[in-house]
């Protein structure tokens, strides 16, 4: 660890120490050049080191390419995107690159645990120093794992994070849910626990209008305004169409469902793949239908006559049911639509007419409490025989005599009420008999009753009575 260049030295203290960064293992060394330099990857801060072991190794995550270094400051950090787990490395080539699917943003890493690229991304290169090197999975695909090394690791479909991000939007053409629904179809399974997260987001604020519950490729499931979904539980699955000429959308499968309140959701199916106008010629329309049900059941859902956009229907989710957009003949539902209108009219009359009659009855009861002005009814007069004509004969009147002489008889001038030679005497008044209840006649007395109750049902059992009119039984 020393040397001595002169001669005749009289004491060991005249030997000089080898410099820092060197060592010297022999004896009787006469020059400093015989002090050996510490190797690359090491450093030596002391003097007079007598062995190579006195040179210290650079720590993990660093390297040092020079010899005879006298300070640890000469040990350089491995760059970002690399790591170095050993010690005493003499070159940057000893720093190892982070593998594909990872990155390392901090220099001088002593660990091989580079940071994994996040879900929905991949990274196929080596030695990336930031997350910017992690590429997004392409549209219509997603990655649930971390550290994907290739785009092929991305799965077609949509991630749970994307599904939750679309919950609550309006489902318009520019919405996030519409972008998801229009992606190429892929099977997406939404578990009951994931659906619970969806409901938690929906129920956190009032929803006066229809909003998105679930958006997956080919489907937007929306709420029905005014509906409480707190008790709804379901597991969603889907299946691609099997019949290219009939099935226009992927199916929506309620793999499991608990719907004690039998509440509705609105299904909006979008066309599968290239199914468009080619499957919608004249005389054909698209309608939602339950798979396995008679074809005519599709008439319960509204038509999509242009076969564009969404084919919609409000349904009650039930376990095991499967719903799908189908191409059906327009003639299939035309008669059903007419019948529906007829049924609707009948139902309307069946509900509305009794209400009108009840209102008429109440109005009549109100009128009875008032003093009605009713014409007196004159009872019918009994038949009276025409008066017997009386013939008026001239009467002879004798005048008193004067002086005993009798004047000739004179005929008095009588002015009876006569017509020709007949005089009529009016019949004496007849006593009025009390009116007795008469049976109701639908044909003779309806006008009288309707004058009081124009909307009254003459076939109901009801009695109308007042102090001014006879009683009728209806």
């Amino acid at each position: 660890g020393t040397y001595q260049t002169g001669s005749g030295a009289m004491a060991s203290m005249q030997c000089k120490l080898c410099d820092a960064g060197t060592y010297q293992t022999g004896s009787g060394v006469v020059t400093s050049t015989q002090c050996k330099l510490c190797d690359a990857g090491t450093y030596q801060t002391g003097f007079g080191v007598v062995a190579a072991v006195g040179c210290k190794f650079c720590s993990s995550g660093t390297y040092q390419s020079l010899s005879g270094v006298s300070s640890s400051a000469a040990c350089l950090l491995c760059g970002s995107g690399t790591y170095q787990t050993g010690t005493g490395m003499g070159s940057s080539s000893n720093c190892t690159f982070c593998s594909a699917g990872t990155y390392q943003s901090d220099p001088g890493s002593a660990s091989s645990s580079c940071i994994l690229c996040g879900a929905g991304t991949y990274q196929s290169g080596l030695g990336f120093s930031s997350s910017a090197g992690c590429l997004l999975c392409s549209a219509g695909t997603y990655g649930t794992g971390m550290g994907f090394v290739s785009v092929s690791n991305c799965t077609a479909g949509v991630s749970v994070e994307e599904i939750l991000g679309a919950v609550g939007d309006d489902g318009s053409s520019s919405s996030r849910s519409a972008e998801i629904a229009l992606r190429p179809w892929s099977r997406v399974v939404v578990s009951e626990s994931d659906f619970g997260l969806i409901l938690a987001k929906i129920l956190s604020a009032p929803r006066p209008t229809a909003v998105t519950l679930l958006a997956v490729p080919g489907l937007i499931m929306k709420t029905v305004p005014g509906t409480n979904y707190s008790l709804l539980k379901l597991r969603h699955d889907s299946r691609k169409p099997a019949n290219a000429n009939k099935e226009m959308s992927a199916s929506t499968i309620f793999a499991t469902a608990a719907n004690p309140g039998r509440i509705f959701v609105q299904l909006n199916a979008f066309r599968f793949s290239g199914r468009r106008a080619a499957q919608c010629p004249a005389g054909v329309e698209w309608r939602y239908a339950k798979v396995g049900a008679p074809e005519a059941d599709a008439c319960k859902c509204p038509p999509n006559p242009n076969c564009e956009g969404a084919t919609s229907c409000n349904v009650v989710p039930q376990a095991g049911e499967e719903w799908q957009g189908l191409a059906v003949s327009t003639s299939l539902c035309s008669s059903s639509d007419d019948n529906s209108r007829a049924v609707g009219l009948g139902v309307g009359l069946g509900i509305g007419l009794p209400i009108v009659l009840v209102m008429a009855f109440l109005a009549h009861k109100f009128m009875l409490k008032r003093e009605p002005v009713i014409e007196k009814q004159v009872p019918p007069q009994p038949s009276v025989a025409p008066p017997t004509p009386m013939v008026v004969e001239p009467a002879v009147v004798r005048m008193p005599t004067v002086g005993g002489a009798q004047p000739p008889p004179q005929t008095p001038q009588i002015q009876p009420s006569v017509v020709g030679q007949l005089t009529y005497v009016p019949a004496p008044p007849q006593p009025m008999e009390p009116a007795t209840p008469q049976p109701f006649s639908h044909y003779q007395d309806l006008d009288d009753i309707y004058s009081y109750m124009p909307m009254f049902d003459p076939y109901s059992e009801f009695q109308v009575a007042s102090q001014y009119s006879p009683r009728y039984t209806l």
Side-chain angles (χ1 to χ4, degrees), residues 193-212:
S193 60
D194 290 337
F195 193 76
L197 296 176
I198 291 172
L199 288 185
K201 189 171 181 180
I202 285 291
L203 298 175
S204 63
R207 308 287 176 170
T209 58
V211 296
T212 298

Side-chain angles (χ1 to χ4, degrees), residues 251-270:
S251 64
T252 296
I253 303 172
F254 299 114
T256 61
N259 190 2
R262 293 188 60 81
I263 59 177
F264 285 85
V265 297
Q266 183 187 108
L267 300 182
N268 297 271
F270 293 83

Side-chain angles (χ1 to χ4, degrees), residues 1 11 30 36 42 59 96 104 170 202-203 294 378 381 462:
V30 297
K36 298 179 181 179
T42 65
S59 62
T96 305
Q104 177 58 264
D170 60 3
I202 285 291
L203 298 175
V378 179
Q381 299 292 332
F462 181 77

Side-chain angles (χ1 to χ4, degrees), residues 74 177 298:
S177 57

Side-chain angles (χ1 to χ4, degrees), residues 66-130:
L66 301 176
S67 300
V69 173
S70 60
S71 172
S72 62
C75 298
L76 303 178
L77 297 175
C78 289
S80 299
T82 66
Y83 64 93
Q84 214 293 94
T85 59
T87 59
M89 297 301 163
S91 171
S92 60
S93 62
N94 296 122
C95 299
T96 305
F97 289 116
C98 288
S99 61
T102 66
Y103 64 95
Q104 177 58 264
S105 57
D106 297 326
S109 174
S111 172
S112 60
S113 300
C114 295
I115 303 171
L116 298 174
C117 287
T121 66
Y122 67 96
Q123 202 279 95
S124 56
L126 301 175
F128 279 83
S129 60
S130 74

Side-chain angles (χ1 to χ4, degrees), residues 234-433:
L234 62 85
R235 177 176 180 268
H236 170 273
D237 200 349
S238 61
R239 174 185 60 82
K240 70 177 183 179
N243 185 338
N245 295 323
K246 187 69 175 177
E247 300 175 356
M248 296 297 102
S249 72
S251 64
T252 296
I253 303 172
F254 299 114
T256 61
N259 190 2
R262 293 188 60 81
I263 59 177
F264 285 85
V265 297
Q266 183 187 108
L267 300 182
N268 297 271
F270 293 83
R271 61 182 179 81
F272 180 84
S273 186
R275 288 162 169 74
R276 288 180 69 89
Q279 287 81 23
C280 192
V284 172
E285 61 190 7
W286 292 357
R287 289 181 185 252
Y288 240 121
K290 183 166 68 174
V291 175
E295 188 178 41
D297 272 17
C299 300
K300 298 177 181 178
C301 293
N304 180 1
N306 297 324
C307 307
E308 292 291 342
T311 303
S312 304
C313 192
N314 289 357
V315 306
V316 177
Q318 297 293 319
E321 288 187 351
E322 184 175 353
W323 292 79
Q324 189 175 36
L326 300 179
V328 300
S329 170
T330 54
S331 62
L332 174 68
C333 301
S334 58
S335 58
S336 298
D337 293 341
D338 293 340
N339 292 337
S340 297
R341 286 190 290 270
V343 170
L345 179 61
V347 171
L349 291 175
I351 295 175
L353 186 57
I355 294 175
V356 171
L357 293 177
V358 170
M359 293 177 66
F361 166 70
L362 294 176
H364 174 70
K365 294 290 289 183
F366 173 75
M367 293 297 293
L368 287 180
K369 294 181 180 179
R370 302 176 59 185
E371 290 293 333
V373 179
I374 304 176
E375 295 182 0
K376 276 191 175 182
Q377 298 189 8
V378 179
Q381 299 292 332
S383 300
V384 179
T388 304
M390 299 179 64
V391 178
V392 180
E393 297 181 355
V396 177
V397 180
R398 297 185 179 275
M399 302 299 291
T401 60
V402 178
Q406 293 291 331
Q410 298 181 3
T411 301
Q413 301 297 317
I414 300 174
Q415 302 295 329
S417 175
V418 298
V419 176
Q421 294 298 318
L422 300 180
T423 300
Y424 294 96
V425 178
Q430 299 296 321
M432 182 183 298
E433 295 182 3

